[in-house]
Amino acid sequence: MDNNNIKYIPITTIKEGQTFDKDYYQQKATPDTQSPKDGYYHVNVGVQVVDELKSATTIRVSEMEKKLFQLLMTVVRESGCGSTLRVAGGWVRDKLRGDNSHDIDIALDNMMGATFAELVNKHLEETHQEVHRIGVIQSNPDQSKHLETATVKVYDMWIDFVNLRSETYTEGSRIPTIDIGTPLEDALRRDLTINSLFFNINENLIQDYIGTAIKDLQLGIIRTPLPPLTTFLDDPLRVFRSIRFATRMYFAIDKYLMEAASNQQVKDAIHTKISHQRIAKEFDGMVTGPRPDLAIHLIQQLGLYQYLFALPPGYNELSKINYIDASCNYINQMMRLAHWGENSEELSTKRVRLLSALMIPFHTLTYKNPQNKNRIQTLIQYILLDHLKLSNKDYDDVILILDCAKMFLPLITQFQTNNTFNRKLVGLAMAKAGVLWRASLSIAMVIELPDHQFNFTFPMHDSEETPKIFNHHTHTHPHHQPMCDQSKNICLLYDQFCATIDTHGLIGCWSIKRLLDGNQVKEILQKAPGSWLAPVIQAIFEWQLENPTKTVDQCKEWLIATYK
């Protein structure tokens, strides 16, 4: 199978009137199936729309996935539990698009996930196979996390088991009562139609209980199974999930979804019902996706920026600054430079570059934290650590990149205006930035680029119009209009600056060995250890940057002349 032919217009492989073999495990393998060159079995499956057989298609199932499904059906048969097992959501969506997926969620129609996971482990133990502990993630209705999920490792794959869900609300309560539901009830409570599909393992059948999920996946439409306001008030995180999926796959967003996402009720629910960690996870998916600039653009357009990057309560020092537009502009500019210098990087820095670009307007700003004895903290610390709960490394890297970008800027100006390259000062900036030096330079370049009018044309879907295929777009199309001459000249300047850094042998200077260590310095100067030593060691490093060809003996002479 040529996966490139189905990657972006996936369901065109479906042909009306085809039949399928329901007995998935007894089917005779073709030669290609027995020895798949790409490691996948190309399995014919049926497609049901509201329980009516409509068509058949092909999905790629790995050998390990096939082995897993065989095991699960053996557990159903030997335990007599009578369960119908369905792979839910993302795995089905991705398989139909020709993508790989490691996100296998098994939905059960007659028991809780933990109960079935115990049956799986019992079978593995009885057949002398490796058994792993079952992890149970409890439901948390207060945070719109309604389902208890059991997670267990089977054949080196982490599998989630969860019951099909139905919900009933009592008058005056925003927290539903959760019961085991029907496939239709569960599908209706999914975030998006394209995530509501099931792969029925028992019958080797793809099931579309919504009736439009297959069509939406084919046409490339992001919309909710229920009215979007209902779906978002149930779990407001779905607003951010909708944005993430739309920009990841470049699918059109339904206009009613957009209206609901900007509803003040939904915004209030985001503030009160959703943990910051869950929002941060969706945000991270946007940043690491193909079009983070489009994601931030939609967040800005929907008036959700302050819910993603919240400022401390009562903080009003940015009230007269259009920091939201500035932050969005910087990430848009960074996307124009997304591949600048990455081939020469010691490690991939795309994610932290984008994070740093978003944080440029907040750099050097501080506030008093009343919950910590009015301690002075950086605004970025509040946004990234206290609010989004990102890692300390994320925060440290962002601050380091922004600080070093500030160090580089006057040095680049000097390089441009006077054709002067100060090896010592550039070396100090390089040493501080370490392997993030190119990321720091990219931030400096973004700050210097002239203002640019970004005209995003994200596709919207209107159900009243004639359906059309949106997802023929790929992420290989140009992100923005071509750069102006001024921007091109700035990029050329930074390329020349990087080349000069290389010519001066400064790449890797952060790990350069000092010509004299602490013990040698103490012996030469005949001084006892003390606070004086660290500045001297730093001075030796700076002397080496200025005198890269000089020897240890010359360094000793300089040390004696300077400090004795």
Side-chain angles (χ1 to χ4, degrees), residues 66-94:
K66 181 180 179 182
K67 184 179 178 182
L68 170 68
F69 296 157
Q70 289 173 331
L71 167 72
L72 297 180
M73 290 309 303
T74 299
V75 171
V76 170
R77 183 175 64 252
E78 293 184 352
S79 68
C81 66
S83 298
T84 297
L85 307 182
R86 294 175 173 88
V87 187
W91 186 90
V92 187
R93 176 200 67 232
D94 291 343

Side-chain angles (χ1 to χ4, degrees), residues 312-313 366-378:
T366 59
Y367 81 106
K368 289 183 179 180
N369 186 346
Q371 297 180 345
N372 192 7
K373 299 178 181 180
N374 283 327
R375 179 185 172 192
I376 302 297
Q377 294 182 219
T378 67

Side-chain angles (χ1 to χ4, degrees), residues 205-266:
L205 195 63
I206 292 174
Q207 295 174 315
D208 178 1
Y209 283 89
I210 300 297
T212 63
I214 289 287
K215 176 184 175 183
D216 289 348
L217 189 60
Q218 179 184 22
L219 296 179
I221 299 171
I222 296 294
R223 60 178 157 191
T224 56
L226 292 172
L229 190 59
T230 301
T231 296
F232 291 157
L233 290 177
D234 167 29
D235 185 355
L237 185 72
R238 291 167 174 170
V239 174
F240 293 103
R241 286 178 60 81
S242 300
I243 294 171
R244 176 166 66 85
F245 279 108
T247 55
R248 168 186 158 188
M249 298 186 286
Y250 206 69
F251 277 14
I253 299 181
D254 184 74
K255 70 172 186 178
Y256 298 110
L257 186 154
M258 289 290 286
E259 292 173 3
S262 57
N263 185 288
Q264 189 57 48
Q265 278 185 280
V266 174

Side-chain angles (χ1 to χ4, degrees), residues 359-556:
M359 292 296 105
I360 290 173
F362 310 110
H363 187 218
T364 73
L365 296 178
T366 59
Y367 81 106
K368 289 183 179 180
N369 186 346
Q371 297 180 345
N372 192 7
K373 299 178 181 180
N374 283 327
R375 179 185 172 192
I376 302 297
Q377 294 182 219
T378 67
L379 207 56
I380 295 177
Q381 180 177 347
Y382 177 85
I383 295 170
L384 297 186
L385 293 184
D386 298 348
H387 179 70
L388 284 179
K389 309 296 183 183
L390 297 186
S391 68
N392 287 326
K393 185 178 186 308
D394 284 333
Y395 169 73
D396 291 341
D397 285 350
V398 166
I399 291 296
L400 179 62
I401 287 172
L402 293 174
D403 285 347
C404 291
K406 189 176 180 180
M407 293 175 67
F408 276 123
L409 278 168
L411 300 174
I412 294 166
T413 300
Q414 190 179 58
F415 178 74
Q416 179 184 26
T417 56
N418 303 326
N419 198 26
T420 301
F421 185 88
N422 189 317
R423 191 179 194 277
K424 171 185 169 181
L425 294 181
V426 173
L428 289 174
M430 293 282 293
K432 182 173 182 177
V435 294
L436 296 175
W437 70 276
R438 285 188 186 273
S440 298
L441 281 174
S442 71
I443 291 294
M445 186 167 19
V446 160
I447 293 172
E448 287 207 81
L449 289 177
D451 290 339
H452 178 79
Q453 185 64 42
F454 293 93
N455 297 313
F456 290 110
T457 54
F458 198 87
M460 295 294 160
H461 169 256
D462 188 338
S463 57
E464 298 170 3
E465 295 179 353
T466 303
K468 54 187 175 182
I469 293 178
F470 290 100
N471 65 329
H472 66 277
H473 295 278
T474 72
H475 299 292
T476 58
H477 66 284
H479 289 161
H480 304 291
Q481 298 169 358
M483 285 190 172
C484 65
D485 290 341
Q486 183 182 354
S487 295
K488 290 179 181 178
N489 289 335
I490 290 173
C491 292
L492 179 60
L493 170 66
Y494 275 75
D495 287 337
Q496 293 170 343
F497 189 75
C498 287
T500 307
I501 286 174
D502 190 20
T503 300
H504 281 267
L506 286 172
I507 298 176
C509 69
W510 50 88
S511 59
I512 189 174
K513 183 179 178 180
R514 308 303 188 259
L515 292 177
L516 298 174
D517 61 27
N519 290 329
Q520 291 172 306
V521 170
K522 287 184 293 181
E523 182 179 347
I524 292 170
L525 298 181
Q526 296 181 345
K527 288 187 176 183
S531 58
W532 63 270
L533 185 57
V536 173
I537 296 296
Q538 176 63 21
I540 291 172
F541 175 60
E542 294 180 13
W543 181 86
Q544 287 181 238
L545 290 174
E546 289 181 301
N547 304 278
T549 61
K550 292 192 176 181
T551 65
V552 173
D553 289 339
Q554 289 172 313
C555 184
K556 289 179 181 179

